């Protein structure tokens, strides 16, 4: 594929395979991938706890991010946690090609060249099965987990961007991982990115 120059962002529904697809791409290209590592890096930068930063994806809020631009100390802890992740994502991207999962990276890096924004989704039954297998939950518990996780991600994305999470217009490529599997999704993303200019 020649010298790889793209940054790939992967938005994802719960259980659609964002983490495993990112790892597969990372392994194939020999570039880093970031998911939960962003939380640790943001915590180290700000002194906020990892638990606080992790909680942003589970929190629903109707506020705006105008607080980002207020003097230091004026922003809520929630806003500080989101801003810390955004700053961490930009710093990671400045270091070169990589794969970044979730946290509105497509929006945060919208001014970067060589950006490929992907959204992964999956059939409900596959998402529920993933939750059941991962956590040993009953069907009803797994359904609740999937619903809550997707609602929280949607809320986070809207809070950050004021755009609709999963909207086709926000991404270069959207894939349903259920019919083809996660490995094939990684290969399709690479084929797309290798042909995309800019």
């Amino acid at each position: 594929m020649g010298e790889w120059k793209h940054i790939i962002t992967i938005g994802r529904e719960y259980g659609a395979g964002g983490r495993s697809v990112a790892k597969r791409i990372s392994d194939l290209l020999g570039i880093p991938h970031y998911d939960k590592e962003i939380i640790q890096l943001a915590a180290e930068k700000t002194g906020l706890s990892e638990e606080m930063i992790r909680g942003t994806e589970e929190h629903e809020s109707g506020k705006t991010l105008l607080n980002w631009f207020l003097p230091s100390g004026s922003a809520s802890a929630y806003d500080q946690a989101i801003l810390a992740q955004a700053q961490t994502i930009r710093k990671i991207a400045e270091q070169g090609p990589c794969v970044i999962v979730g946290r509105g990276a497509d929006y945060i890096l919208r001014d970067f060249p060589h950006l490929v924004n992907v959204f992964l989704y999956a059939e409900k039954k596959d998402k529920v099965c993933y939750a059941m297998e991962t956590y040993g939950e009953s069907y009803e518990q797994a359904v609740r987990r999937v619903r809550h996780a997707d609602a929280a991600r949607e809320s986070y994305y809207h809070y950050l961007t004021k755009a609709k999470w999963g909207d086709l217009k926000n991404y270069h490529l959207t894939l349903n991982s259920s019919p083809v599997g996660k490995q094939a999704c990684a290969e399709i993303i690479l084929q797309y990115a290798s042909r995309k200019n800019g």
Side-chain angles (χ1 to χ4, degrees):
M1 293 185 189
E3 183 182 357
W4 191 262
K5 56 189 177 182
H6 295 292
I7 295 168
I8 298 173
T9 72
I10 301 179
R12 76 288 186 228
E13 289 184 350
Y14 178 87
R19 188 178 312 142
S20 56
V21 169
K23 185 179 186 315
R24 177 66 176 161
I25 293 171
S26 172
D27 290 345
L28 288 170
L29 292 177
I31 61 175
H33 71 283
Y34 300 89
D35 183 5
K36 296 186 183 304
E37 297 83 0
I38 292 168
I39 294 172
Q40 181 182 355
L41 293 169
E44 290 171 359
K45 173 181 171 55
T46 62
L48 296 170
S49 72
E50 289 187 30
E51 184 179 1
M52 149 95 49
I53 295 173
R54 190 178 301 110
T56 57
E57 275 205 336
E58 301 173 359
H59 181 79
E60 296 185 18
S61 174
K63 297 187 301 178
T64 69
L65 287 184
L66 290 176
N67 285 340
W68 280 20
F69 307 104
L70 295 176
S72 178
S74 298
S76 70
Y78 179 72
D79 284 349
Q80 289 177 46
I82 292 181
L83 179 57
Q85 290 182 91
Q87 290 172 333
T88 299
I89 286 168
R90 290 187 69 86
K91 189 163 196 170
I92 287 168
E94 286 166 359
Q95 295 170 2
C98 59
V99 187
I100 302 176
V101 179
R103 294 169 184 83
D106 59 295
Y107 176 81
I108 292 164
L109 301 178
R110 62 194 181 280
D111 59 330
F112 274 60
H114 312 303
L115 190 66
V116 176
N117 297 322
V118 177
F119 189 82
L120 294 177
Y121 61 102
E123 305 299 332
K124 179 181 175 181
K125 63 180 175 57
D126 294 325
K127 294 160 62 171
V128 171
C129 282
Y130 171 81
M132 291 172 68
E133 291 169 4
T134 302
Y135 298 100
E137 295 178 332
S138 69
Y139 177 82
E140 291 75 15
Q141 289 172 320
V143 167
R144 283 195 297 272
R145 180 182 290 274
V146 169
R147 186 169 55 240
H148 174 77
D150 281 346
R153 289 175 183 182
E154 182 176 13
S155 176
Y156 181 100
Y157 189 84
H158 181 71
Y159 182 79
L160 176 67
T161 70
K162 294 298 173 280
K164 181 176 172 52
W165 181 67
D167 188 330
L168 297 176
K169 296 189 292 294
N170 299 333
Y171 308 95
H172 299 106
L173 186 65
T174 60
L175 292 169
N176 182 346
S177 62
S178 288
V180 297
K182 299 171 181 65
Q183 181 170 326
C185 283
E187 293 166 359
I188 291 166
I189 292 165
L190 288 180
Q191 289 175 17
Y192 178 91
S194 68
R195 288 164 173 74
K196 181 181 179 294
N197 295 319

